[in-house]
Amino acid sequence: MHLLGTLQRNIALTLSLMLLSFLFSAPAFSAKLAIVIDDFGYRKKEDNQILQLPTAVSIAILPNSPHGKEMATKAHAQGREILIHMPMAPISKQPLEKDTLKPSMDQAEINRIIQNAINRVPYAVGMNNHMGSAMTSDRQAMDRVIKALNHSDLYFLDSVTIGNTQAATAAKAAGVPSLRRHVFLDNVQTEAETRQQLNRAINLARKNGFAIAIGHPHTSTVRALQQQLPLLP
């Protein structure tokens, strides 16, 4: 999906969210739940298990992962929505992916890295952040990221890895469509936690009209989704 023009792009993004959403019957309205599975491209077994789930489950692929392009091709053939899971610098010190975006980078370097990511993840229609608390909390850095996206017709999904994220503010100023995550499904890697968090996301969707939940291809997450998704109305 290519989002062209500020108004048209936001309308198209709403339609995209509806297409990738599960609909729940409710007395007054139908709630929409979007599920995105991050960190695609490294765990081929678990990735393929996710691709066996309903196609309304979207995937976010790490651009320098060894199986990323293969998974993007498979997902696209299924009609599944694909995002680029862009590595961004966290505040804490930890191992970083190749070409992790950092606040110190200038516009040209950010443009190069994002364009390389687009080339490595074919069929992507959006981007969300992998880690990124240092990057997304820096308004000037996010202005540069959003400016790079503005030329690629990708929307931005904020994973919300820090409370004072500037992603939505930067995106709005540039006229780039953006969304934000409401629930993480598996901060604790147990089936019980994922079931509980999925129910929380469902309740938020019923309350507010829609919700976005993000998970990861952990074995416990895969099992919980395999069990729970067929039970959804």
Side-chain angles (χ1 to χ4, degrees):
M1 180 180 300
H2 299 284
L3 311 174
L4 304 174
T6 302
L7 179 60
Q8 290 176 323
R9 291 162 78 178
N10 280 284
I11 291 171
L13 181 56
T14 300
L15 292 174
S16 175
L17 181 60
M18 292 174 67
L19 287 172
L20 62 84
S21 57
F22 292 103
L23 303 182
F24 299 87
S25 299
F29 60 88
S30 292
K32 306 173 189 66
L33 173 62
I35 297 177
V36 181
I37 303 299
D38 283 351
D39 293 353
F40 248 67
Y42 279 105
R43 286 168 280 196
K44 197 169 182 179
K45 176 184 174 183
E46 288 79 7
D47 288 355
N48 279 315
Q49 289 174 329
I50 293 292
L51 294 182
Q52 293 172 15
L53 295 175
T55 56
V57 176
S58 301
I59 63 168
I61 299 174
L62 287 158
N64 286 297
S65 59
H67 309 297
K69 188 167 288 188
E70 176 187 349
M71 293 301 151
T73 301
K74 286 185 177 181
H76 177 71
Q78 295 176 321
R80 194 182 298 271
E81 184 151 328
I82 300 163
L83 294 87
I84 297 167
H85 195 39
M86 177 56 67
M88 296 188 186
I91 291 173
S92 59
K93 291 185 178 180
Q94 52 188 295
L96 301 179
E97 289 272 331
K98 178 184 176 182
D99 284 341
T100 295
L101 296 180
K102 303 178 181 67
S104 59
M105 291 178 172
D106 62 18
Q107 187 69 60
E109 189 168 13
I110 288 176
N111 288 350
R112 178 189 63 78
I113 291 173
I114 288 181
Q115 185 56 54
N116 183 59
I118 291 170
N119 294 338
R120 287 178 172 269
V121 185
Y123 313 114
V125 297
M127 174 182 288
N128 70 339
N129 53 295
H130 173 62
M131 301 189 293
S133 52
M135 194 73 181
T136 58
S137 60
D138 187 315
R139 172 60 194 276
Q140 290 184 332
M142 287 311 297
D143 281 341
R144 293 191 285 273
V145 171
I146 296 299
K147 185 175 180 180
L149 286 187
N150 206 10
H151 301 294
S152 62
D153 298 327
L154 299 180
Y155 65 82
F156 189 80
L157 169 60
D158 187 355
S159 300
V160 193
T161 57
I162 192 168
N164 66 329
T165 173
Q166 300 297 304
T169 304
K172 184 177 181 181
V176 170
S178 69
L179 296 163
R180 61 182 286 142
R181 183 269 312 167
H182 300 102
V183 174
F184 274 128
L185 294 175
D186 49 15
N187 275 341
V188 178
Q189 293 178 36
T190 66
E191 292 179 46
E193 171 73 6
T194 298
R195 287 194 296 269
Q196 180 178 331
Q197 291 299 94
L198 181 61
N199 285 330
R200 178 168 170 251
I202 291 168
N203 290 332
L204 282 173
R206 284 175 166 156
K207 178 181 178 181
N208 300 322
F210 78 98
I212 300 173
I214 289 180
H216 304 82
H218 306 308
T219 299
S220 57
T221 304
V222 172
R223 287 176 179 168
L225 292 178
Q226 286 172 334
Q227 295 164 6
Q228 296 301 115
L229 294 188
L231 303 178
L232 297 181

